[in-house]
Amino acid sequence: QGRAPASGATQRAEHRQTFRREMAEAAAGLNQRYPWLRLPVSIPGGRRWGAGYGLTTGIHTIHVLIGLIVIVMILPGRLDRSKAGLLNKVTLYWHFVSLVWLGLFPLVYLPF
């Protein structure tokens, strides 16, 4: 007879392990072809790393969505002197979100 079906938690763990192995193999292959990339061969893991990743990228995504919603709300109207202050604030906000991304991207995605 065959083995008993794996539980949902076991299947998720196996999928994560397979994904990490495939990503490491892909990174190793790219490192051989393009040595200047220096991609990490291992992917960080664990609850703390996952929680930090989800928190930082999630908060950043919320801020991007807020910025996009405000920009879409401003665009249909007429831009004149009365809306210059609002446009300036939205522009500063959008550039702040962009600068946060410039700091967040290397922290999360680039190897040290």
Side-chain angles (χ1 to χ4, degrees), residues 20 43-52:
R20 284 185 178 154
I43 297 173
R47 292 182 184 269
R48 183 176 287 171
W49 187 88

Side-chain angles (χ1 to χ4, degrees), residues 12-73:
R12 286 190 297 276
E14 289 174 359
H15 286 300
R16 280 194 301 269
Q17 187 177 14
T18 302
F19 175 75
R20 284 185 178 154
R21 186 184 70 247
E22 289 174 353
M23 292 303 292
E25 290 171 359
L30 286 171
N31 282 337
Q32 287 177 354
R33 185 170 179 142
Y34 306 104
W36 51 269
L37 276 177
R38 297 186 314 207
L39 295 172
V41 180
S42 65
I43 297 173
R47 292 182 184 269
R48 183 176 287 171
W49 187 88
Y53 174 82
L55 182 67
T56 54
T57 56
I59 289 173
H60 180 67
T61 302
I62 290 169
H63 283 90
V64 168
L65 291 174
I66 290 169
L68 287 172
I69 290 168
V70 172
I71 289 171
V72 167
M73 289 171 56

